[in-house]
Amino acid sequence: MKLKITRDALVPFASVLVALAIGAILIAAQGHSPVQTYHVLIVRGFESTAGLQATLSKAGILIMSGLAITVGLRAGLFNIGAQGQVLSGALAATYIGYRIHGLPMYIHIPVALAFGALCGALVGGFAGLLKATRGVHEVISTIMLNSIMAAIVDYLTQNQFRLKSQPNTRTPDMLHSARLPHIFGYPTGFVLAVLLAIFVSWVFKKTTTGFELETVGRNRSAAWYAGISVKKSIVLGMLLSGAIAGLTGGLFSSETTGYFVPTFYGGIGFDGITIALLGRANPIAIIPGAILIGGMRSAQSAIQFEAGVSPDLINLLLALVLFFATAPFLAKLIRSNSKSITTTSGWGS
Amino acid sequence: MDTLLNISNLSKSFPGVKANDDISLHVNKGEIVALLGENGAGKSTLVKAVFGLVRPDSGTITIKGESIAYGDTAAAISHGVGMVHQHFQLVPVMTVTENIILGDEPHKGMFLSMKAARQEVIELSKRHGLEVDPDSVVEDLPVGIQQRIEILKALRKDIDLLILDEPTAVLTPQEIDELLEVMRNLAASGVGVLFITHKLREVMAVADRVVVLRNGKLVGATTPSETDEEGLAQMMVGRNVVLQVDKGPAKAGEVVLSVENMTVKDSRGHEAVTNFSLELHAGEILGIAGVEGNGQRELVEAICGMRHRTTGTVKVAGVVAPDMDPRQVHLMGVSHIPEDREKDGLVASYSIADNLILNQFNLKPYATKGIRDFKVRDAYAEKLVEEFDIRTPSFENLASSLSGGNKQKVVVARELTQDLKVVVAAQPTRGVDVGSIEFIHNQLVSARDTGAGVLLVSAELDEILSLSDRIAVMFGGKIVAILPGEGADRQYIGRLMAGLTE
Ligand SMILES: Nc1ncnc2c1ncn2[C@@H]1O[C@H](COP(=O)(O)OP(=O)(O)O)[C@@H](O)[C@H]1O
Ligand SMILES: [Mg+2]
């Protein structure tokens, strides 16, 4: 299909502009200068080298978690549970990172990340299995799995995996050989995330597996009619979504934190939902949204110090963007998935 | 003569189509006027304008000499217009009584009086000779009865004009005859009837006058005595149409499909097909006649591997076909034109090209080692669009952009172009216009002539009669009779379809 600028594609841009406009009114109402605030936002988020580095690091994580949600959405699955998968992947990768000694970097990092992805895949795949075999809706099961995973990682961090010499609850530090290096100060994770986005896009465009997942996502009965195993695709979709979420957690540990504390991973999985919906579940289209939000996040504290505006402004802006950008899309998604009560249908038209 | 309804110079455009173009027609008191036309000709739009559901762009509508404002349903109703819609407007989880009184409920003080309502429904049904059980829940009833409820609903208020939009599409021959009788009785009592249909036989049987629409324009008016079915078809399509399928005698060969003692449950877990056996030969069309809901859907899905068989086996050319594996059954040479093309046969948001290879996308040459080849797909799509006369600007357009007939051509093109032993065609021409019906019928006959066995499942008795070499009548999940197609008696088959043995 050719790239067309449709009304659908304009919605995210328009919503960002509207959000910034509303934000400007609020800033002015508080007696600050919107121009100065947005100037700080641009300089600290994108123009200064340190700001750009922080932005891209955050953007890489956001792209990855956005991809996790995107893969699910394309297969018709709403993986609300990315958060739990991120946590399990992060802890798993951290564990491999501090526990196994003597590996060279080029083996240690992939093994740690792969183990993170595996654990995320297990959690996601379990929800997929529940849906395929017992008909449990993934939104319900993944919400519950979020709580379960949060409790499990908490327990492990407080007991088996705890660094005893520290008063606060945390794991030991990952070894240097498991830490993703920066290239001239720029995060490698961002590059990996973009490559992964290109790969996911290719899978859905060119491979039969991607076509199967997408067909199941768009019309389950037609997929079954066409000989596609719907159950297999549901499990596979959740498995892949979970794997990417787990990888996201591992990447965050390896690149940013270096050790595991449950609260570090705050909203990564949920931010992924925002990013994926903003990019209309298109693996490439989520990249600009992730960079924008990454930039806003990394300029958050500078706004307070340099423009005197509360950092909550950023949260407000993001909420507004989400609201305007995704409300119609979400409504469409929910409408097409729910069996509303309709009057009996007649025949043809 | 009393003119009841008068439409003059009515026009209505939708984005991109002129659905009604300067149409004038009238209906007299006590007269049955048939409104005939292909799918998309603008029939529903016209009657909806009369009923106030569509706002015309220009033109006037008068009822008993009084002009009716655009888009005013309440005015239409108060002027005595009743309408039965093409798409049923019933609430499936409510009872017959509740559905009929909906919108104008009898009440005692501020409370609903179900007793009075029930009594009213019983009397209404007696008065018009349309029998219904007032307490049944609508979703449990066959479509034929649902149709009756719709008609009772329209007749509940005293009406002068009854509009019926394709009321017979899902009825058995007996039910159709009953309905035609109801229409005659109403007309005799002075009600004007405006009756939309595709079926020429009904027009010939009941109409006093016939008005034909094509592409939104009124292209002719006639009476049944001045013309015949061929003549009506020609007016509808604008060219000569051969209604009778041109086919030579069948050269039946080996058994290509055999079903032995098969039992299948429907989605609610009730037995829908019971201990069913059947043999289909190469080079023949075996028609399965029956009122919808007698297990045809489950039969077809079980044969094609889409639905679990509780017992029994299916063999394709002597080889046992797997249960619940549509891909494997398809690879064995069974192609399947599904009954519900929107739900099963197409992915609306995929291109026409992807839909044309929907069950072969993973096979060579469309994919190699899991990587798809779009050049091959596009070349194939281009060829099929041409060969099957699928009307579209490009095979890259979405399937959802096609009209019903062209959607069905996509399915037929996909299913009949493959290397096949068995064709299972379920309701292959439902909701499809006359021109496309002719085309699809010819395709099925030529599949037969190239040696495939064709299992044709249809609720349309005329379709079964004109295509089948043998006819099996299905009732209550079983075959109740198998007859030769040659010289089959439609009255007799109609009785069998209704479950009567004598
Ligand atoms: N609500 C609508 N919006 C846009 N187009 C419509 C609408 N209703 C009908 N049409 C179009 O108007 C034409 C006539 O439709 P309709 O009156 O339903 O035909 P018929 O009942 O004869 O099959 C068709 O091309 C159809 O697609
Ligand atoms: Mg119509």
Side-chain angles (χ1 to χ4, degrees):
Chain A
M1 217 179 293
K2 287 177 208 104
L3 193 71
K4 276 182 247 158
I5 300 193
T6 57
R7 237 182 71 204
D8 234 29
L10 288 176
V11 171
F13 289 104
S15 59
V16 169
L17 289 180
V18 173
L20 289 176
I22 296 178
I25 295 171
L26 290 172
I27 295 167
Q30 290 178 350
H32 300 286
S33 154
V35 176
Q36 195 204 349
T37 309
Y38 288 151
H39 182 69
V40 172
L41 188 77
I42 292 168
V43 171
R44 292 297 168 198
F46 302 96
E47 248 177 47
S48 73
T49 310
L52 190 60
Q53 287 167 351
T55 294
L56 292 183
S57 171
K58 288 193 163 65
I61 298 296
L62 290 172
I63 291 171
M64 299 266 286
S65 64
L67 284 175
I69 306 297
T70 294
V71 168
L73 287 177
R74 293 288 281 263
L77 301 161
F78 203 3
N79 182 9
I80 298 278
Q83 187 59 29
Q85 295 144 20
V86 166
L87 280 177
S88 63
L91 181 59
T94 309
Y95 178 74
I96 298 289
Y98 73 75
R99 195 58 212 265
I100 301 181
H101 294 258
L103 291 179
M105 191 178 257
Y106 61 88
I107 294 184
H108 204 176
I109 294 174
V111 169
L113 292 182
F115 196 63
L118 178 73
C119 287
L122 286 177
V123 180
F126 180 61
L129 213 59
L130 282 177
K131 184 181 181 94
T133 57
R134 316 294 320 162
V136 182
H137 199 288
E138 74 277 6
V139 168
I140 309 281
S141 63
T142 56
I143 285 177
M144 295 189 178
L145 280 168
N146 273 349
S147 307
I148 294 172
M149 290 322 297
I152 291 178
V153 298
D154 233 16
Y155 178 82
L156 289 175
T157 321
Q158 289 192 28
N159 298 284
Q160 283 84 344
F161 294 178
R162 179 165 184 175
L163 178 62
K164 302 270 167 18
S165 60
Q166 290 275 330
N168 54 338
T169 306
R170 54 160 286 185
T171 66
D173 283 313
M174 292 170 84
L175 299 178
H176 183 68
S177 59
R179 300 292 308 273
L180 260 183
H182 286 221
I183 307 166
F184 306 120
Y186 285 94
T188 331
F190 178 77
V191 179
L192 289 180
V194 170
L195 290 177
L196 187 65
I198 294 171
F199 176 73
V200 169
S201 168
W202 175 82
V203 165
F204 279 103
K205 268 205 187 107
K206 284 285 280 185
T207 70
T208 53
T209 307
F211 188 76
E212 295 202 352
L213 288 175
E214 182 124 39
T215 308
V216 170
R218 291 184 186 215
N219 182 341
R220 237 168 248 174
S221 356
W224 177 231
Y225 160 84
I228 297 166
S229 168
V230 174
K231 292 183 174 172
K232 221 177 82 189
S233 294
I234 287 173
V235 176
L236 182 66
M238 283 304 293
L239 207 72
L240 291 177
S241 178
I244 299 176
L247 186 61
T248 310
L251 187 79
F252 191 61
S253 291
S254 168
E255 179 170 282
T256 309
T257 60
Y259 58 93
F260 184 90
V261 171
T263 49
F264 278 171
Y265 303 82
I268 294 178
F270 295 112
D271 277 348
I273 297 174
T274 314
I275 302 281
L277 294 177
L278 199 58
R280 297 290 192 269
N282 175 327
I284 302 298
I286 65 177
I287 296 175
I291 294 175
L292 181 76
I293 294 180
M296 287 176 157
R297 286 257 182 253
S298 67
Q300 198 157 9
S301 47
I303 282 183
Q304 185 172 24
F305 295 130
E306 297 179 26
V309 175
S310 157
D312 281 336
L313 173 75
I314 297 293
N315 292 335
L316 183 74
L317 286 180
L318 289 182
L320 286 169
V321 169
L322 223 201
F323 180 78
F324 291 115
T326 62
F329 182 58
L330 208 58
K332 212 163 97 187
L333 205 77
I334 291 166
R335 220 179 303 136
S336 67
N337 277 340
S338 69
K339 284 199 193 106
S340 54
I341 294 183
T342 50
T343 52
T344 53
S345 53
W347 46 88
S349 59
Chain B
M1 188 99 56
D2 286 340
T3 306
L4 196 58
L5 168 71
N6 194 44
I7 302 174
S8 46
N9 310 101
L10 189 134
S11 292
K12 170 72 190 177
S13 293
F14 290 113
V17 264
K18 196 136 202 201
N20 287 162
D21 189 357
D22 197 27
I23 291 179
S24 301
L25 75 86
H26 68 279
V27 178
N28 293 328
K29 228 171 155 260
E31 185 186 38
I32 301 178
V33 176
L35 189 54
L36 198 61
E38 288 192 275
N39 266 308
K43 307 174 301 278
S44 294
T45 304
L46 183 65
V47 294
K48 279 183 193 160
V50 173
F51 200 59
L53 291 169
V54 159
R55 293 179 70 89
D57 299 329
S58 60
T60 54
I61 300 165
T62 59
I63 295 170
K64 288 179 281 186
E66 285 176 46
S67 116
I68 301 284
Y70 290 170
D72 188 350
T73 311
I77 292 173
S78 70
H79 280 78
V81 181
M83 176 157 169
V84 175
H85 294 270
Q86 178 168 6
H87 299 278
F88 295 167
Q89 314 279 314
L90 302 172
V91 185
V93 293
M94 287 168 64
T95 65
V96 172
T97 302
E98 286 164 342
N99 265 288
I100 291 178
I101 62 159
L102 196 63
D104 185 11
E105 303 85 2
H107 46 81
K108 241 193 215 139
M110 57 181 288
F111 294 104
L112 174 68
S113 167
M114 266 328 271
K115 223 167 133 192
R118 203 171 165 277
Q119 195 53 39
E120 188 189 331
V121 168
I122 292 171
E123 274 163 22
L124 184 69
S125 118
K126 259 204 202 115
R127 188 164 64 225
H128 294 285
L130 291 166
E131 202 180 309
V132 289
D133 171 7
D135 304 317
S136 298
V137 174
V138 163
E139 66 183 351
D140 297 335
L141 297 172
V143 272
I145 307 286
Q146 295 190 10
Q147 177 68 275
R148 248 182 241 179
I149 301 166
E150 283 282 10
I151 293 168
L152 284 173
K153 224 179 137 163
L155 294 176
R156 182 164 167 233
K157 307 198 183 68
D158 284 325
I159 55 171
D160 299 312
L161 175 67
L162 179 63
I163 299 171
L164 298 156
D165 194 350
E166 295 195 36
T168 60
V170 286
L171 304 187
T172 64
Q174 272 74 17
E175 286 169 333
I176 292 174
D177 287 344
E178 277 170 36
L179 179 65
L180 298 185
E181 198 49 42
V182 170
M183 283 164 59
R184 283 192 198 99
N185 289 340
L186 285 170
S189 71
V191 175
V193 180
L194 186 56
F195 169 50
I196 297 183
T197 185
H198 274 313
K199 299 187 196 171
L200 307 171
R201 213 172 48 82
E202 293 163 8
V203 175
M204 297 303 287
V206 77
D208 297 310
R209 274 190 303 123
V210 190
V211 177
V212 183
L213 297 189
R214 192 196 319 146
N215 291 334
K217 292 195 182 66
L218 199 154
V219 292
T222 179
T223 63
S225 53
E226 289 170 37
T227 182
D228 57 9
E229 294 187 23
E230 302 273 336
L232 288 175
Q234 194 173 340
M235 281 171 86
M236 249 163 90
V237 194
R239 64 179 168 86
N240 250 328
V241 177
V242 185
L243 287 180
Q244 201 51 49
V245 182
D246 188 19
K247 72 178 176 54
K251 297 186 203 70
E254 309 262 276
V255 173
V256 283
L257 175 75
S258 74
V259 180
E260 289 156 26
N261 306 320
M262 184 171 79
T263 298
V264 186
K265 289 191 172 136
D266 66 17
S267 305
R268 291 199 212 155
H270 301 303
E271 210 164 271
V273 177
T274 307
N275 204 17
F276 188 99
S277 299
L278 169 113
E279 285 193 338
L280 173 70
H281 296 262
E284 74 163 346
I285 298 180
L286 172 56
I288 300 211
V291 180
E292 258 182 278
N294 276 285
Q296 296 97 321
R297 181 185 202 117
E298 289 77 11
L299 171 71
V300 165
E301 289 182 353
I303 289 175
C304 296
M306 288 174 67
R307 184 180 283 277
H308 172 60
R309 307 191 275 269
T310 329
T311 63
T313 48
V314 172
K315 288 185 191 157
V316 178
V319 183
V320 176
D323 187 31
M324 290 292 275
D325 189 349
R327 181 169 283 175
Q328 188 54 35
V329 175
H330 177 244
L331 286 175
M332 291 173 81
V334 178
S335 75
H336 173 197
I337 298 170
E339 152 179 347
D340 190 339
R341 65 173 165 260
E342 308 277 343
K343 183 166 153 281
D344 296 325
L346 295 169
V347 178
S349 58
Y350 274 167
S351 67
I352 294 167
D354 272 339
N355 274 293
L356 282 169
I357 57 164
L358 195 61
N359 49 16
Q360 313 164 71
F361 68 91
N362 58 328
L363 304 177
K364 278 194 172 168
Y366 308 108
T368 320
K369 296 208 177 83
I371 310 292
R372 306 181 62 208
D373 187 334
F374 297 129
K375 274 211 190 91
V376 177
R377 174 198 67 184
D378 291 351
Y380 181 72
E382 190 161 10
K383 181 176 137 235
L384 256 55
V385 164
E386 166 87 34
E387 229 170 80
F388 283 79
D389 190 24
I390 298 162
R391 308 266 167 91
T392 175
S394 159
F395 56 76
E396 285 177 13
N397 285 12
L398 301 185
S400 56
S401 70
L402 296 173
S403 72
N406 283 295
K407 281 182 185 157
Q408 186 69 349
K409 282 190 204 163
V410 170
V411 176
V412 170
R414 178 180 71 219
E415 295 307 310
L416 297 188
T417 309
Q418 308 179 29
D419 201 14
L420 34 96
K421 298 192 179 80
V422 177
V423 178
V424 181
Q427 322 289 354
T429 58
R430 159 160 311 156
V432 166
D433 55 77
V434 179
S436 305
I437 289 176
E438 182 191 17
F439 181 82
I440 291 169
H441 282 176
N442 286 333
Q443 291 295 324
L444 288 173
V445 171
S446 78
R448 178 199 80 161
D449 290 342
T450 54
V454 179
L455 189 67
L456 169 71
V457 178
S458 177
E460 208 69 68
L461 192 46
D462 287 321
E463 179 166 50
I464 295 277
L465 289 170
S466 64
L467 282 175
S468 308
D469 301 310
R470 283 193 299 149
I471 299 173
V473 183
M474 195 164 172
F475 179 78
K478 291 186 172 136
I479 286 182
V480 291
I482 296 193
L483 325 154
E486 194 79 27
D489 172 24
R490 67 174 298 128
Q491 282 307 318
Y492 177 61
I493 295 178
R495 292 174 64 83
L496 291 171
M497 281 166 66
L500 306 171
T501 38
E502 275 318 301

